[in-house]
């Protein structure tokens, strides 16, 4: 069976500091990978998606970036965090070509 | 045109009652409509999904009703239980897109014991 991991689970960072969130998927090959952000009490906003190693598509212009250095690893980064970057960051995966999308446990980021 | 509008924003139901959450869309190119359940501090979990070629899908106490002509779909939770208290999101996916799901804004369901 497939499993998706995210770490850290929670993170408190000062404004202007860098960010690196990691997501890995086990039990599948060549998945589609996604980064979403969920603001408090709000819906999910897609940030990035990837259909393969090194292939990243951005949905929302911002100070965040994503990378996929390995088939089942997806990283969300920032060079300088803003207060508005606070939120619940969710990684998701799907089989290539499949409809169903599965979410990880999330990372709660608080920028102070 | 890629929006999915979800209502109500919050819903309070007595134990044993029926919870109904509605979603509407405009883009007829959507071809997959899932519902997700999210508990506080957790990632959303896929609950049930439907394709537009059927009008209803039932899994246990959860049913999706789909009205293609009205471009609306809804989630019905029969015999609602306090353990069903969570936030529910509808979503839709564009045909042929590897991109993403477009999510509704969520409904916070509270089932009173």
């Amino acid at each position: 069976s497939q499993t998706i991991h995210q770490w850290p689970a929670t993170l408190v960072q000062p404004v202007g500091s860098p960010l690196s969130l990691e997501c890995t998927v086990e039990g599948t090959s060549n998945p589609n990978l996604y980064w979403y952000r969920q603001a408090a009490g709000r819906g999910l906003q897609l940030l990035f998606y990837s259909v393969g190693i090194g292939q990243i598509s951005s949905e929302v212009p911002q100070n965040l970036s994503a990378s996929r250095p390995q088939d089942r690893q997806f990283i969300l980064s920032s060079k300088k965090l803003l207060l508005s970057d606070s939120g619940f960051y969710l990684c998701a995966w799907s089989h290539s070509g499949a409809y169903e999308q599965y979410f990880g446990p999330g990372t709660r980021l608080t920028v102070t | 045109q890629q929006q999915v509008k979800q209502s109500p924003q919050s819903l309070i139901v007595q134990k044993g009652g029926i919870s109904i959450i509605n979603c509407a869309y405009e883009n007829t190119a959507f071809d997959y409509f899932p519902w997700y359940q999210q508990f506080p501090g957790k990632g959303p979990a896929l609950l049930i999904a439907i394709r537009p070629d059927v009008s209803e899908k039932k899994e246990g106490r959860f049913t999706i009703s789909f009205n293609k002509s009205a471009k609306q779909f809804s989630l019905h939770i029969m015999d609602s239980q306090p353990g069903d208290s969570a936030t529910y999101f509808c979503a839709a996916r564009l045909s042929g897109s590897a991109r993403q799901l477009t999510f509704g804004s969520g409904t916070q369901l509270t089932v009173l014991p």
Side-chain angles (χ1 to χ4, degrees), chain A residues 63-83:
Chain A
N63 69 321
L64 299 172
S65 62
S67 62
R68 184 170 177 174
Q70 301 181 42
D71 181 44
R72 291 168 290 176
Q73 184 184 31
F74 206 22
I75 297 173
L76 183 69
S77 304
S78 174
K79 293 182 180 179
K80 289 185 177 182
L81 284 168
L82 306 173
L83 284 173

Side-chain angles (χ1 to χ4, degrees), chain A residues 32 34 36 38 41-44 46 49 51 59 88 90 98-105 108, chain B residues 9 31-32 36 38 41-46 51 87 89 93 98-101 103-106:
Chain A
N32 291 341
Y34 310 84
Y36 290 85
Q38 185 176 31
R42 304 285 295 276
L44 289 83
L46 180 72
Y49 70 97
V51 298
E59 291 295 308
F88 193 42
L90 290 154
Y99 289 91
E100 297 81 4
Q101 203 169 114
Y102 303 97
F103 285 84
R108 174 75 59 192
Chain B
Q9 187 175 10
D31 68 347
Y32 170 72
Y36 283 83
Q38 185 179 29
K42 305 295 184 183
L46 180 61
R51 300 280 297 278
T87 300
F89 293 94
R93 198 196 88 151
R99 293 171 61 235
Q100 85 281 19
L101 298 170
F103 282 86
S105 55

Side-chain angles (χ1 to χ4, degrees), chain B residues 29-105:
Chain B
F30 286 135
D31 68 347
Y32 170 72
F33 302 88
W35 285 89
Y36 283 83
Q37 178 189 57
Q38 185 179 29
F39 293 104
K42 305 295 184 183
L46 180 61
L47 190 61
I48 187 173
I50 197 168
R51 300 280 297 278
D53 52 347
V54 298
S55 60
E56 186 175 283
K57 183 174 181 180
K58 183 176 181 179
E59 290 184 3
R61 296 184 294 109
F62 300 91
T63 301
I64 299 179
S65 296
F66 187 83
N67 187 329
K68 189 174 183 177
S69 60
K71 290 185 282 188
Q72 295 176 349
F73 59 108
S74 59
L75 176 68
H76 296 238
I77 306 175
M78 313 301 286
D79 187 26
S80 298
Q81 299 296 313
D84 297 330
S85 298
T87 300
Y88 292 81
F89 293 94
C90 63
R93 198 196 88 151
L94 272 174
S95 174
S97 170
R99 293 171 61 235
Q100 85 281 19
L101 298 170
T102 299
F103 282 86
S105 55

